[in-house]
Amino acid sequence: MNYLVVGCGISGATLGRLLAEKGHKVTIIDSRDEVAGNCYDYFDDDGIDVHKYGTHIFHTDIEPVWKFLSRFTKWYPFQHRVLALIDGQEVPLPFNLNSIHQVFPEKMAATLEEKLLEKFGFNRKVPILELRKTGDKDLQFLADYIYEKVFLHYTLKQWGMKPEDLDPAVTGRVPVYVGRDNRYFYAKYQGIPLEGYTKLVKKMLRHEGIKVHLKTPFTKEMAEHYDHVFYTGPIDEYFDYKYGELPYRSLRFDFIRFDRPFFQDNSVINYPCNYDFTRIGEYKYFLGTKSKRTVVSYEYPQAFVRGENERYYPIVRDENIALYKKYREEADREAKVTFFGRLGDYKYYDIDKSVNRAIEIASQY
Ligand code: UDP
């Protein structure tokens, strides 16, 4: 078959590769002048792998995804940790038993730990919105503390709304953890592509059955020349916004280079309560790069405005999902087009979920 894939991010590239390996002819287009979508990265003058659209840390429990990507890269075995500045202290996030002992006086921490263990058990991950419902006085205090110090102001900055106004899964990504593991992700497979994400994607695209055209926006007329279209662009845009625009959040990054080896003592530090930015990422940590200088990005959330900035996050909440479903019904009637990816599915996919979805689609063609 002769296929068109719209969008050369991780979703489009994965699908393109798998279709080409099945013997199909694949054309991939992207309106940007670079591949890899929001995973795009580059090595700067100091040899530091800078992620242009913010820190991307790969993690997955899905073995076929890990195996597939590992065909195109070796990995730097990076285990991500995040610290959050809370009342002047850098505290492990997800907020866990270590965080509790760091923040509270000993006796109080012991009581809170005991109650958490009694109520939930060791190794449990409890979404903050669930922790707020226990009814226990001490746990209520803890829940209010974490809600206020970790989630409320960060979420107001990040989404322009409170945690309870979003789908619970959004803040559920960063649970309160009844354990001592200080990592941000608990997945079996974690790492950073040794030569960066862009190189990984470029290797994926290196196949005789694949042609890539950059700076090439999609138009509906293109579909006539292909047996099927696989579309990773915004689903509302495809249908000319006939039901209205699906809302997204965007980000602005201030990249700053410092003339010293390190800026901060961790790859990512979150600032839930201070400043207008949400976090600072320092890129040299991700591949353990040794250099005299360092580069960081300050991350400022913003509303997405068409034509002005880029889509980063679908805003997952009931009214937006209802709107998305209208588009999805239309999409299901388009026999010649398959919609997928963060923008096509309007889902808050991590990299591994995007790859997995593309693998599933490829298995049907
Ligand atoms: N979150 C928060 N405080 C934090 C970290 C996360 O309130 O210090 C909430 C916030 O709503 C955020 C969500 O949890 O959007 C998911 O966080 P994650 O770090 O997974 O976001 P991503 O890295 O995808 O931007």
Side-chain angles (χ1 to χ4, degrees):
M1 293 284 186
N2 191 16
Y3 289 141
L4 177 66
V5 177
V6 180
C8 200
I10 196 75
S11 299
T14 298
L15 185 76
R17 174 73 190 205
L18 291 170
L19 293 176
E21 287 180 356
K22 289 182 156 192
H24 301 297
K25 265 178 69 186
V26 179
T27 301
I28 309 182
I29 59 168
D30 200 296
S31 52
R32 290 187 186 166
D33 62 358
E34 59 209 15
V35 301
N38 282 10
C39 289
Y40 178 83
D41 58 1
Y42 60 92
F43 285 83
D44 74 1
D45 297 344
D46 298 305
I48 299 169
D49 178 18
V50 182
H51 304 173
K52 181 174 173 182
Y53 301 92
T55 58
H56 281 67
I57 300 102
F58 183 77
H59 54 100
T60 193
D61 278 315
I62 311 170
E63 189 147 340
V65 168
W66 177 255
K67 285 204 163 136
F68 173 72
L69 293 177
S70 300
R71 290 173 51 202
F72 310 103
T73 188
K74 290 196 174 11
W75 300 90
Y76 184 75
F78 183 79
Q79 301 268 329
H80 193 39
R81 286 177 174 76
V82 173
L83 298 173
L85 186 77
I86 297 172
D87 291 345
Q89 295 202 60
E90 291 174 358
V91 175
L93 200 72
F95 206 93
N96 63 29
L97 296 179
N98 295 330
S99 321
I100 287 177
H101 284 276
Q102 191 178 332
V103 170
F104 299 113
E106 210 176 302
K107 249 173 117 178
M108 195 173 172
T111 305
L112 293 170
E113 174 169 352
E114 204 179 306
K115 291 227 167 167
L116 282 173
L117 289 169
E118 204 172 282
K119 177 83 189 167
F120 299 103
F122 185 67
N123 215 14
R124 273 287 314 279
K125 285 144 199 141
V126 189
I128 182 61
L129 296 177
E130 193 185 318
L131 187 64
R132 294 189 93 203
K133 292 179 190 151
T134 60
D136 178 273
K137 184 168 65 58
D138 293 315
L139 291 182
Q140 189 59 49
F141 163 80
L142 178 67
D144 288 347
Y145 182 90
I146 299 174
Y147 177 82
E148 166 80 20
K149 302 285 185 184
V150 176
F151 287 98
L152 177 60
H153 304 287
Y154 187 106
T155 302
L156 285 169
K157 284 192 270 189
Q158 171 71 10
W159 301 99
M161 51 187 89
K162 291 182 173 174
E164 54 272 32
D165 297 330
L166 290 154
D167 188 291
V170 174
T171 44
R173 289 166 61 90
V174 187
V176 176
Y177 174 52
V178 190
R180 293 270 190 181
D181 186 340
N182 281 345
R183 292 172 304 167
Y184 202 60
F185 306 117
Y186 312 109
K188 177 170 179 185
Y189 302 107
Q190 310 190 25
I192 308 291
L194 207 55
E195 297 177 280
Y197 290 94
T198 308
K199 193 72 178 285
L200 186 167
V201 168
K202 282 187 174 164
K203 279 200 179 157
M204 227 185 244
L205 299 170
R206 211 175 292 153
H207 186 287
E208 59 186 13
I210 300 178
K211 280 202 184 94
V212 179
H213 301 295
L214 298 177
K215 293 191 263 181
T216 308
F218 173 73
T219 59
K220 292 221 173 94
E221 298 73 57
M222 290 177 180
E224 291 161 25
H225 308 288
Y226 298 91
D227 296 305
H228 196 86
V229 176
F230 298 90
Y231 183 88
T232 70
I235 191 168
D236 53 347
E237 181 176 278
Y238 182 92
F239 293 107
D240 303 319
Y241 308 102
K242 65 194 278 192
Y243 301 117
E245 266 189 65
L246 282 168
Y248 284 87
R249 284 301 272 181
S250 187
L251 298 172
R252 176 173 69 83
F253 292 95
D254 279 358
F255 285 93
I256 305 181
R257 191 187 259 173
F258 290 94
D259 211 357
R260 54 182 153 119
F262 288 96
F263 173 76
Q264 58 192 24
D265 50 18
N266 197 54
S267 55
V268 173
I269 297 188
N270 286 10
Y271 293 82
C273 299
N274 299 81
Y275 309 108
D276 295 332
F277 50 84
T278 49
R279 53 189 172 190
I280 301 177
E282 184 165 2
Y283 291 89
K284 68 190 306 177
Y285 283 101
F286 295 124
L287 290 173
T289 307
K290 294 197 166 43
S291 57
K292 288 191 181 135
R293 294 189 294 185
T294 191
V295 62
V296 304
S297 63
Y298 290 62
E299 194 166 329
Y300 293 89
Q302 336 179 288
F304 164 71
V305 181
R306 239 192 308 155
E308 281 184 21
N309 51 19
E310 299 286 339
R311 294 174 177 86
Y312 281 79
Y313 301 90
I315 304 178
V316 186
R317 62 198 301 249
D318 289 347
E319 63 186 68
N320 299 346
I321 294 179
L323 179 57
Y324 161 72
K325 282 194 173 140
K326 287 190 182 175
Y327 284 112
R328 182 44 66 171
E329 276 170 26
E330 293 269 333
D332 290 343
R333 286 197 286 272
E334 294 271 312
K336 247 189 100 173
V337 187
T338 301
F339 296 81
F340 66 115
R342 234 189 217 209
L343 310 181
D345 284 336
Y346 198 66
K347 290 224 168 71
Y348 190 169
Y349 287 138
D350 289 327
I351 299 173
D352 66 325
K353 299 292 182 337
S354 300
V355 171
N356 198 43
R357 170 95 163 109
I359 291 174
E360 272 167 25
I361 294 171
S363 73
Q364 296 158 25
Y365 288 85

